[in-house]
Every structure is written in C-alpha cells, then in structure tokens.
Amino acid sequence: MLGKSHGRATHCPLPWADLGIHLPCVKVLHQVTSEEKATSRLLVNYPEPYRSQILDYLFKPNFGASLHILKVEIGGDGQTTDGTEPSHMHYALDENYFRGYEWWLMKEAKKRNPNITLIGLPWSFPGWLGKGFDWPYVNLQLTAYYVVTWIVGAKRYHDLDIDYIGIWNERSYNANYIKILRKMLNSQGLQRVKIIASDNLWESISAAMLLDAELFKVVDVIGAHYPGTHSVKDARLTGKKLWSSEDFSTLNSDTGAGCWGRILNQNYVNGYMTSTIAWNLVASYYEQLPYGRCGLMTAQEPWSGHYVVESPVWVSAHTTQFTQPGWYYLKTVGHLEKGGSYVALTDGLGNLTIIIETMSHKHSKCIRPFLPYFNVSQQFATFVLKGSFSEIPELQVWYTKLGKTSERFLFKQLDSLWLLDSNGSFTLKLQEDELFTLTTLTTGRKGSFLLPPESQHFPSTYKDDFNVDYPFFSEAPNFADQTGVFEYFTNMEDPGEHHFTLRQVLNQRPITWAADASNTISIIGDYSWTNLTIKCDVYIETPDTGGVFIAGRVNKGGILIRSARGIFFWIFANGSYRVTGDLAGWIIYALGRVEVIAKKWYTLTLTIKGRFASGMLDDKSLWTDIPVNFPKNGWAAIGTHSFEFAQFDNFHVEATR
C-alpha cells in the first residue's frame, strides 16, 4: 500500500471529487474528546492524591489520554443514563451555579490544559420550563434564556468559557429554537459560542439546513451519534464541520479499545468527521448501573482510592498527543489493502503525524451500531513522503498491540525511523490489532504514577450525619441520585440535631430524557449486599400526601429505575405505612396505620436477613419477619413518594455480602 502526501507541509487536501463540492481545507478543530453525564459521580469523592492522578491521566497534555475537548451535561434534574444531575435553576426564580460537579470537572480540565474546548448539552430540563408539558419547546425564549444563563454563569462564577452549545441530546430539535438561541447568545455578547446540532442522526438536521438559509447560517457543526464511521450526503453537502458528537460507549476492555482505535481513524476516513467524542469520560459510577465500565478509564471506588488506567486511554494518546486542534488532515488518508486504515495530519509548519490502525472485526466491535464483517491480515505497507515532507530525517514511533497478554503492548515507544537515506520511503510490517503513530513530534510520553491502592468493597459499616457547614459539593458522598435531586441542606428551623440534613429538593417532575421514576430515589453502597440494617431519620415536609422511604437490596438504577425491585419501607403523612417489593409500589408486602404526620422527625429502621425483613419506627417494632425472596442483593436507598420536599439525617448501614 502506498501512502503519499503531495506538496509542501502546508498543503491542504484537494476537493473531495466524489462529493462534487469544494472543501479546500479540512481543519481538525478537535480530534479525540470525551463526554460526561452523571458518570463522574464517584470521582469527586476520591481522596488525594488519587483524584488528581485520575484527572492527569485524562486531561494533562502529553501524559495520558490528553483530551482536546470536554463535553458536559447541562444538569436538568432528570435521569440521563446512570443518574440525575442538578440544574442551576430548579425553579423559575432560582439560580445557583455551584450545584453538582460539572463546574469543578471543567475547572480541573482547564487547570491541566488551558486550551481544552468545552461543550455544554442538555439531556433533561427542569419541569417549570415545560409549563405542565414534558417538552422544552413550549416557550422557546424561556428555554433559550435558561441555557444562556448556564453559559453566562459558567463565566461569571467559574471563569469558564463555553465554546460550543448543543440543543437537546438525542431528542427532537426545533429550528426556531436554534435561531432564537443564536440571537440570545449574540445579545449577551456570546458570538464566539458556536452551536452544534442536533446530537442525534445526520439526516433530519442536515436536510433542514439545506432548505433553510437562516438555520444553515446559525448551525456551526453537525453532530451525529454512533454514526458507524459514516456520514450522509446531505451532511457533506452543507460544507459544515461534521462531528461524531457521541460515540464509543463500549466496555473498556481491549475490545473496547479496539473499537475506539478503529473509529478514531475511520470516522474521518469514511465519514469526514473531524472530531470523535467518547461517552464516557471515566467510569466513575456504580458498576451495576447501565453501561458499567464504559469509560476511557475506571474509577469507581473512592472509598479505597483504587482506579484502573484502561487501554482506551492509551489508544486515545496515539492521536491526542501528536495532533492538536487546528491541524489539517492531508488528502492522503484511506484503507489499507489487507484491512485497517491510516490518516496523516500536519500543523502546516512542517510537523507530520501518521496514525495507522489494523483493528480486527472480532476485537473492535463497538456496542453500536452493527459492524459488517471485514477481514484484517498481516501485510507490508510502504509509505512515501513527498514534497517538503521528503526532507524529514526522523519519525518517532509509538506502538500498541491489543489482544493476548503475552503479546500486548500499550503505547510503547519503539526505535525511531531514520529516513535520510531512503528518499522518504519506509515500509512497516503490520499485523492485526495494532496501532502505530509515526510523528515528527518528540513530546510524546506515557505518564505514570505509583500503583493506586488495591480494590476494596464498599465499607460494610457506613454512616453519614450530613453535618457539613460549607460543603464543597452540593451532594453527599457516594449517594447516587436516580430520580430527583438530594442536596446538603441547612435547616434554619432546627438549630439542634437536625440543623444539617440531606434534602430532596425537586417539587416538580423534570422534562425527562429517560423514564424517570414517579418517586425520587438515591442509591448507595455495595450491589452485592444481602443482609443489612438501614437506619435513617426522616422528615416529611408535605402534609397529607407526603411520604418517604428507606430501602435495601435495590436491584436497578439509571434508565431502568422505574422497574427497580427491592425491599422498600414507606411512611406517609396521612398516618400510614407500607412495605413494598418494588419502587413503583405495585408489590405490597404489608400496610397499616401508624402515628405519623408531616413536619416531624422519625427514625426508620429496616433489617433484611436472608428471606425475611423487619421494620421499626422510632426504635419500636412496626412489622416483623415478612418473607422477601427477591432480589437476593442490591444497594441501599432513600427517597420520597413523589416529587416533594423531604429531609434525611443520620444515615447508617450495617451490611454483609
């Protein structure tokens, strides 16, 4: 196979003849990037130095994944796959730019790489925007205002410049909304913030842009999800930048790394996409939630400090450490004769990077879409550097081999290629499941730290009294909200034992992205817990209709939360209690009357041992030895009957696996 780059180092690609349009330069604004949505929940709880080490592996230039871009969820109070993220505006007159952890994450990324690009995208929206409808386009100006306040707040309170803004993740776009959003951005002096649309499929948005001149003008980037390395004709006809704005979401094994290596090259080779964004950044959520370990690396044990730098980090490095936003793809990109692909990029100043992948079908399947069969076999590939590139004396060589442990290498620097006596020609022996980066840059580095602590289970005894006067994060450690939002709260009405509590703060169902439950719930602990005692002080704020619960053996979360089973112990402000086998309350084990009212603290205790469960109210037995055969294990949880205010305090679990 002969690869050539024609002309001087500043040469841009020629027009793409097969498209019938002129693309004089294909400028790489961003190459390898990552996306975060409720998947870094546990990361913030990591102790130092491990938290900083994880962040270095992700964001520090010339160290690990060295990401060029960070795309974050604009928290909207709703479930977005593995949890909810709080909105900066829970209610119409409410603004708070310190909730959640995305602000912190963006600042940590910027601290390591001041040039990193930031994208914001909504998944869900707070319910008040819908005015009773599960729809963000009821009042276009109001929704645009809500999104623009997030961008303005990022700058005002955190000195963060948001570079790109999306519309509504994998849901309907509204062309008039996009136009109003552009006008509102401009009115706030945010002309530099670009719009990406529509984070779904190529077809609808690109066809609409070709028919609507104003829409065409205001959309800067067409972003599609899981494109399978291909774009469509209409998208290419726009001449706009094409991005795979969400991709990967595959278990971070070597097969996941093979998927990532293949699509990083072939998204451009096949589909002319100049950015590929991985969901997700780091698997920092309970592994038994949906898409467990589908991040570039794994950090799901803040209680132990254990984390794993998975192979997708080093696959990323093959591109990120040797290209930068603003580099150009050369015209010479393509497929290798016996399988695999290659791309070549330049900074226009004489530097050259060539990335070659030979990922096999078996070891590079992504979670979606379906991958048609192809064959990769051993081959010799000859590359010839021409023009000013022919004068390059030396290329650094970085190598990855995925697969069998005995043959496996991750981002290993090999001996340089010397080209002075070869007229710019060199030949490589390529075998399947390999990655080569050949580059003039000498800054590549495989960063490392001392090994982190060994993996440990979640502590079997766990207590939290929520007594934090000025919390750095709005959410309590290790609680993972699955519907609703639970935040640290200062109870001004109670200067005593319950002055500091954890409060469920949503009083309205959000505009949902997923199938949020009808109840609010936050999970915590070890999914393998079987026998456990959960004790928690609870405070119902809503008279008559209010209710709260504690639960054990909760077996589902994330987008599956509505169907969660477990053992749920409820009390209600109308003077009743209930024991159910599911969150929805369809499976009733017991019910009865009890002296409970709103605006008063009670202590609930739930004990589950083997096939039986018992419950206490204020340390007095309320129900005993109810048979519970399913599930056998699961998380502990707290929550409310509906979207209502309620408080929790002195949470305590004693558990065994």
Side-chain angles (χ1 to χ4, degrees), residues 263-275:
I263 64 178
L264 280 178
N265 263 22
Q266 295 193 27
N267 274 349
Y268 184 75
V269 171
N270 299 336
Y272 312 111
M273 289 164 259
T274 56
S275 177

PDB file of all heavy atoms in Angstrom, residues 263-275:
ATOM      1  N   ILE A 263     -12.545   3.556  15.205  1.00  0.00           N
ATOM      2  CA  ILE A 263     -13.417   4.670  14.826  1.00  0.00           C
ATOM      3  C   ILE A 263     -12.682   6.010  14.855  1.00  0.00           C
ATOM      4  O   ILE A 263     -13.046   6.933  14.114  1.00  0.00           O
ATOM      5  CB  ILE A 263     -14.706   4.720  15.683  1.00  0.00           C
ATOM      6  CG1 ILE A 263     -14.406   4.998  17.155  1.00  0.00           C
ATOM      7  CG2 ILE A 263     -15.502   3.442  15.496  1.00  0.00           C
ATOM      8  CD1 ILE A 263     -15.659   5.105  18.022  1.00  0.00           C
ATOM      9  N   LEU A 264     -11.633   6.141  15.667  1.00  0.00           N
ATOM     10  CA  LEU A 264     -10.887   7.406  15.673  1.00  0.00           C
ATOM     11  C   LEU A 264     -10.302   7.690  14.291  1.00  0.00           C
ATOM     12  O   LEU A 264     -10.290   8.844  13.842  1.00  0.00           O
ATOM     13  CB  LEU A 264      -9.769   7.369  16.716  1.00  0.00           C
ATOM     14  CG  LEU A 264     -10.201   7.623  18.155  1.00  0.00           C
ATOM     15  CD1 LEU A 264      -9.018   7.503  19.090  1.00  0.00           C
ATOM     16  CD2 LEU A 264     -10.865   8.980  18.312  1.00  0.00           C
ATOM     17  N   ASN A 265      -9.820   6.664  13.631  1.00  0.00           N
ATOM     18  CA  ASN A 265      -9.319   6.838  12.264  1.00  0.00           C
ATOM     19  C   ASN A 265     -10.456   6.869  11.245  1.00  0.00           C
ATOM     20  O   ASN A 265     -10.542   7.757  10.397  1.00  0.00           O
ATOM     21  CB  ASN A 265      -8.364   5.701  11.906  1.00  0.00           C
ATOM     22  CG  ASN A 265      -6.907   6.076  12.106  1.00  0.00           C
ATOM     23  OD1 ASN A 265      -6.584   6.993  12.875  1.00  0.00           O
ATOM     24  ND2 ASN A 265      -6.018   5.378  11.432  1.00  0.00           N
ATOM     25  N   GLN A 266     -11.333   5.872  11.329  1.00  0.00           N
ATOM     26  CA  GLN A 266     -12.274   5.668  10.231  1.00  0.00           C
ATOM     27  C   GLN A 266     -13.450   6.636  10.243  1.00  0.00           C
ATOM     28  O   GLN A 266     -14.111   6.812   9.220  1.00  0.00           O
ATOM     29  CB  GLN A 266     -12.741   4.214  10.212  1.00  0.00           C
ATOM     30  CG  GLN A 266     -11.584   3.262   9.894  1.00  0.00           C
ATOM     31  CD  GLN A 266     -12.025   1.860   9.549  1.00  0.00           C
ATOM     32  OE1 GLN A 266     -13.126   1.631   9.065  1.00  0.00           O
ATOM     33  NE2 GLN A 266     -11.149   0.890   9.800  1.00  0.00           N
ATOM     34  N   ASN A 267     -13.719   7.296  11.381  1.00  0.00           N
ATOM     35  CA  ASN A 267     -14.732   8.353  11.351  1.00  0.00           C
ATOM     36  C   ASN A 267     -14.333   9.443  10.362  1.00  0.00           C
ATOM     37  O   ASN A 267     -15.189  10.067   9.736  1.00  0.00           O
ATOM     38  CB  ASN A 267     -14.943   8.952  12.741  1.00  0.00           C
ATOM     39  CG  ASN A 267     -15.952   8.162  13.560  1.00  0.00           C
ATOM     40  OD1 ASN A 267     -16.653   7.292  13.046  1.00  0.00           O
ATOM     41  ND2 ASN A 267     -16.036   8.459  14.844  1.00  0.00           N
ATOM     42  N   TYR A 268     -13.029   9.660  10.201  1.00  0.00           N
ATOM     43  CA  TYR A 268     -12.603  10.616   9.179  1.00  0.00           C
ATOM     44  C   TYR A 268     -12.438   9.949   7.811  1.00  0.00           C
ATOM     45  O   TYR A 268     -12.899  10.458   6.793  1.00  0.00           O
ATOM     46  CB  TYR A 268     -11.311  11.333   9.562  1.00  0.00           C
ATOM     47  CG  TYR A 268     -10.962  12.371   8.516  1.00  0.00           C
ATOM     48  CD1 TYR A 268     -11.666  13.565   8.453  1.00  0.00           C
ATOM     49  CD2 TYR A 268     -10.013  12.119   7.532  1.00  0.00           C
ATOM     50  CE1 TYR A 268     -11.426  14.496   7.459  1.00  0.00           C
ATOM     51  CE2 TYR A 268      -9.755  13.044   6.530  1.00  0.00           C
ATOM     52  CZ  TYR A 268     -10.460  14.233   6.501  1.00  0.00           C
ATOM     53  OH  TYR A 268     -10.236  15.140   5.501  1.00  0.00           O
ATOM     54  N   VAL A 269     -11.800   8.791   7.785  1.00  0.00           N
ATOM     55  CA  VAL A 269     -11.533   8.121   6.511  1.00  0.00           C
ATOM     56  C   VAL A 269     -12.837   7.853   5.752  1.00  0.00           C
ATOM     57  O   VAL A 269     -12.946   8.107   4.549  1.00  0.00           O
ATOM     58  CB  VAL A 269     -10.769   6.802   6.741  1.00  0.00           C
ATOM     59  CG1 VAL A 269     -10.680   5.984   5.458  1.00  0.00           C
ATOM     60  CG2 VAL A 269      -9.373   7.093   7.279  1.00  0.00           C
ATOM     61  N   ASN A 270     -13.859   7.368   6.465  1.00  0.00           N
ATOM     62  CA  ASN A 270     -15.130   7.010   5.819  1.00  0.00           C
ATOM     63  C   ASN A 270     -16.146   8.147   5.823  1.00  0.00           C
ATOM     64  O   ASN A 270     -16.969   8.239   4.909  1.00  0.00           O
ATOM     65  CB  ASN A 270     -15.766   5.804   6.523  1.00  0.00           C
ATOM     66  CG  ASN A 270     -14.901   4.567   6.464  1.00  0.00           C
ATOM     67  OD1 ASN A 270     -14.067   4.428   5.586  1.00  0.00           O
ATOM     68  ND2 ASN A 270     -15.087   3.665   7.419  1.00  0.00           N
ATOM     69  N   GLY A 271     -16.114   8.975   6.870  1.00  0.00           N
ATOM     70  CA  GLY A 271     -17.209   9.916   7.063  1.00  0.00           C
ATOM     71  C   GLY A 271     -16.818  11.373   7.176  1.00  0.00           C
ATOM     72  O   GLY A 271     -17.675  12.221   7.405  1.00  0.00           O
ATOM     73  N   TYR A 272     -15.527  11.690   7.032  1.00  0.00           N
ATOM     74  CA  TYR A 272     -15.033  13.080   7.059  1.00  0.00           C
ATOM     75  C   TYR A 272     -15.348  13.789   8.372  1.00  0.00           C
ATOM     76  O   TYR A 272     -15.478  15.013   8.402  1.00  0.00           O
ATOM     77  CB  TYR A 272     -15.588  13.886   5.866  1.00  0.00           C
ATOM     78  CG  TYR A 272     -15.439  13.154   4.561  1.00  0.00           C
ATOM     79  CD1 TYR A 272     -16.552  12.674   3.883  1.00  0.00           C
ATOM     80  CD2 TYR A 272     -14.178  12.905   4.014  1.00  0.00           C
ATOM     81  CE1 TYR A 272     -16.415  11.970   2.699  1.00  0.00           C
ATOM     82  CE2 TYR A 272     -14.027  12.211   2.830  1.00  0.00           C
ATOM     83  CZ  TYR A 272     -15.145  11.742   2.178  1.00  0.00           C
ATOM     84  OH  TYR A 272     -15.005  11.041   1.011  1.00  0.00           O
ATOM     85  N   MET A 273     -15.455  13.018   9.462  1.00  0.00           N
ATOM     86  CA  MET A 273     -15.703  13.619  10.776  1.00  0.00           C
ATOM     87  C   MET A 273     -14.379  14.021  11.406  1.00  0.00           C
ATOM     88  O   MET A 273     -13.458  13.209  11.517  1.00  0.00           O
ATOM     89  CB  MET A 273     -16.437  12.625  11.677  1.00  0.00           C
ATOM     90  CG  MET A 273     -17.878  12.387  11.278  1.00  0.00           C
ATOM     91  SD  MET A 273     -18.554  10.901  12.052  1.00  0.00           S
ATOM     92  CE  MET A 273     -18.474   9.711  10.723  1.00  0.00           C
ATOM     93  N   THR A 274     -14.307  15.276  11.823  1.00  0.00           N
ATOM     94  CA  THR A 274     -13.046  15.798  12.350  1.00  0.00           C
ATOM     95  C   THR A 274     -13.002  15.811  13.871  1.00  0.00           C
ATOM     96  O   THR A 274     -12.040  16.306  14.458  1.00  0.00           O
ATOM     97  CB  THR A 274     -12.778  17.206  11.820  1.00  0.00           C
ATOM     98  OG1 THR A 274     -13.887  18.043  12.135  1.00  0.00           O
ATOM     99  CG2 THR A 274     -12.544  17.181  10.321  1.00  0.00           C
ATOM    100  N   SER A 275     -14.021  15.308  14.525  1.00  0.00           N
ATOM    101  CA  SER A 275     -13.993  15.143  15.979  1.00  0.00           C
ATOM    102  C   SER A 275     -14.778  13.900  16.340  1.00  0.00           C
ATOM    103  O   SER A 275     -15.817  13.613  15.742  1.00  0.00           O
ATOM    104  CB  SER A 275     -14.606  16.359  16.681  1.00  0.00           C
ATOM    105  OG  SER A 275     -14.623  16.153  18.080  1.00  0.00           O
TER     106      SER A 275
END
